[in-house]
Amino acid sequence: MTDDRLPLAELLAKAGDGDFLRSVAEAVVQLLMESDVDGLIGAGRHERSGERTTYRNGYRDRSLDTRLGSLQLRIPKLRQGSYFPPFLEPRKTSEKALVAVIQEAWVGGVSTRRVDDLVQAMGLSGIGKSTVSKLCRDIDERVGAFLDRPLVGDWPYLWLDATYLRQREGGRIVSVAAIIAVAANTEGKREIVGLHIGPSEAETFWSTFLKSLVRRGLRGAKLVISDAHEGLKAAIRRVMGASWQRCRVHWMRNALSYVPKGQQSMVSAALRQAFIQPDRATASQTLRHVADQLRAKWPKLGGFIDESEADVLAHMDFP
């Protein structure tokens, strides 16, 4: 993984499964601290060693704020002396390295090199190769179990999104599509239900991904929300058989592309009036009125609204 902006980690965090991301990050940091303390005192927990300098003496709680949320950590205490993890001092490099490890786990497995980078960024010592390998396996197992878990119950609403990442393959850097699915169940709880990496966003790629969700138990889908990618729309029709809602964020971005930058705030405010209406009929009437007002100045925008009205208001037919 070479992308310094960590777009996938940000996408995952926004998707609504912050609890899982935090739990993985907490497990990573906790294991590194435990190994660091082992090296500091010269022995592992309950290990008899002539090199031991002191013993553990419980824990103290400490939180660490990161872009994945607040991590609840247990800092080891010592009978003699003290232990304070260097990464708790203000330094952004350690957080960036931690998030990079989590992102790489989702993409296809954590490398020992990435974990070594994390150890260095956190300023830890006494972390051996066996610990690094153990941590890689632990992260991969946690993420793998999460992404392959059975999906139970009905999931009436499904959001699909994608981002492009740069990944090293065969000694060269290639661009790959990371697609993510977030679903809401009948109780309104949102969860990340799937993630897949592939070379493009073609229909076959999306179809394979959606079929894998169905095999794991995704059922009861009534409305699927995404951008207007033709391959994705075709896959939704073929596999899900559900209504389609054009993502309003993507729709607004597309609409404003027909308007000069200096006028975009005004046009955006006018278009948003349709989305605050109480029902579909009123929303449709409002959007057509706005389109007619803007058509003379920006005819392509007017045509875009006419063409996409039904898709961007589809959600108003649902509770």
Side-chain angles (χ1 to χ4, degrees), residues 8 23-24 51 75-76 102-103 118 130 138 154 162 177 187 196 208 236 257 268 285 300:
L8 179 57
S23 71
V24 174
E51 300 178 356
I75 311 300
I102 304 301
Q103 171 168 292
L118 172 61
S130 61
D138 182 77
D154 287 346
E187 297 177 354
H196 195 50
T208 300
I236 292 171
S257 67
S268 175
Q285 183 180 13
K300 290 185 178 180

Side-chain angles (χ1 to χ4, degrees), residues 138-261:
D138 182 77
I139 298 172
D140 288 342
E141 288 172 1
R142 286 171 180 265
V143 172
F146 180 78
L147 292 178
D148 292 334
R149 72 194 188 281
L151 301 174
V152 180
D154 287 346
W155 303 84
Y157 304 107
L158 178 67
W159 289 262
L160 300 172
D161 204 353
T163 187
Y164 276 89
L165 308 172
R166 288 175 293 162
Q167 188 174 17
R168 188 178 300 277
E169 289 185 4
R172 63 191 184 95
I173 304 301
V174 298
S175 179
V176 296
I179 59 176
I180 187 171
V182 179
N185 61 20
T186 53
E187 297 177 354
K189 181 182 178 182
R190 291 203 311 170
E191 290 186 16
I192 296 172
V193 294
L195 177 79
H196 195 50
I197 306 296
S200 71
E201 292 183 78
E203 179 184 347
T204 53
F205 178 51
W206 279 110
S207 293
T208 300
F209 176 60
L210 293 177
K211 288 177 182 178
S212 72
L213 297 181
V214 173
R215 282 195 301 269
R216 287 171 45 217
L218 185 73
R219 68 185 190 194
K222 297 179 180 178
L223 183 67
V224 181
I225 302 95
S226 74
D227 67 10
H229 190 284
E230 290 301 325
L232 173 53
K233 289 167 60 179
I236 292 171
R237 288 193 301 268
R238 184 185 304 272
V239 179
M240 306 305 296
S243 298
W244 176 67
Q245 159 73 36
R246 186 168 185 164
C247 171
R248 289 191 345 207
V249 174
H250 289 96
W251 180 85
M252 184 66 76
R253 190 178 302 151
N254 296 149
L256 295 181
S257 67
Y258 297 107
V259 181
K261 195 168 184 179

Side-chain angles (χ1 to χ4, degrees), residues 13-244:
K14 292 177 182 178
D17 242 305
D19 288 345
F20 176 73
L21 295 175
R22 284 194 298 272
S23 71
V24 174
E26 286 173 353
V28 170
V29 175
Q30 194 68 46
L31 178 58
L32 288 176
M33 280 194 299
E34 300 289 353
S35 300
D36 194 37
V37 169
D38 290 348
L40 179 64
I41 66 179
R45 184 189 297 275
H46 309 306
E47 178 186 359
R48 297 192 179 201
S49 172
E51 300 178 356
R52 179 185 289 277
T53 58
T54 186
Y55 290 85
R56 294 168 175 265
N57 189 30
Y59 294 89
R60 66 181 185 277
D61 295 331
R62 177 71 182 267
S63 62
L64 174 64
D65 292 332
T66 73
R67 72 187 73 182
L68 298 178
S70 181
L71 309 185
Q72 303 305 311
L73 306 177
R74 302 175 69 224
I75 311 300
K77 296 195 298 183
L78 308 179
R79 288 186 185 178
Q80 294 179 329
S82 62
Y83 172 71
F84 185 79
F87 60 84
L88 289 181
E89 300 171 0
R91 54 191 299 170
K92 292 296 184 183
T93 54
S94 61
E95 180 195 346
K96 185 176 180 180
L98 174 62
V99 177
V101 166
I102 304 301
Q103 171 168 292
E104 188 171 74
W106 287 83
V107 170
V110 182
S111 65
T112 54
R113 179 184 63 82
R114 180 68 77 183
V115 176
D116 283 335
D117 291 343
L118 172 61
V119 170
Q120 294 298 319
M122 297 178 79
L124 301 176
S125 59
I127 307 296
K129 291 184 177 180
S130 61
T131 298
V132 170
S133 297
K134 177 183 177 182
L135 182 58
C136 290
R137 290 194 302 271
D138 182 77
I139 298 172
D140 288 342
E141 288 172 1
R142 286 171 180 265
V143 172
F146 180 78
L147 292 178
D148 292 334
R149 72 194 188 281
L151 301 174
V152 180
D154 287 346
W155 303 84
Y157 304 107
L158 178 67
W159 289 262
L160 300 172
D161 204 353
T163 187
Y164 276 89
L165 308 172
R166 288 175 293 162
Q167 188 174 17
R168 188 178 300 277
E169 289 185 4
R172 63 191 184 95
I173 304 301
V174 298
S175 179
V176 296
I179 59 176
I180 187 171
V182 179
N185 61 20
T186 53
E187 297 177 354
K189 181 182 178 182
R190 291 203 311 170
E191 290 186 16
I192 296 172
V193 294
L195 177 79
H196 195 50
I197 306 296
S200 71
E201 292 183 78
E203 179 184 347
T204 53
F205 178 51
W206 279 110
S207 293
T208 300
F209 176 60
L210 293 177
K211 288 177 182 178
S212 72
L213 297 181
V214 173
R215 282 195 301 269
R216 287 171 45 217
L218 185 73
R219 68 185 190 194
K222 297 179 180 178
L223 183 67
V224 181
I225 302 95
S226 74
D227 67 10
H229 190 284
E230 290 301 325
L232 173 53
K233 289 167 60 179
I236 292 171
R237 288 193 301 268
R238 184 185 304 272
V239 179
M240 306 305 296
S243 298
W244 176 67

Side-chain angles (χ1 to χ4, degrees), residues 290-309:
V290 172
D292 290 340
Q293 287 185 315
L294 301 175
R295 196 182 310 276
K297 199 167 187 178
W298 299 295
K300 290 185 178 180
L301 173 60
F304 170 79
I305 296 173
D306 293 341
E307 180 182 342
S308 59
E309 174 197 330

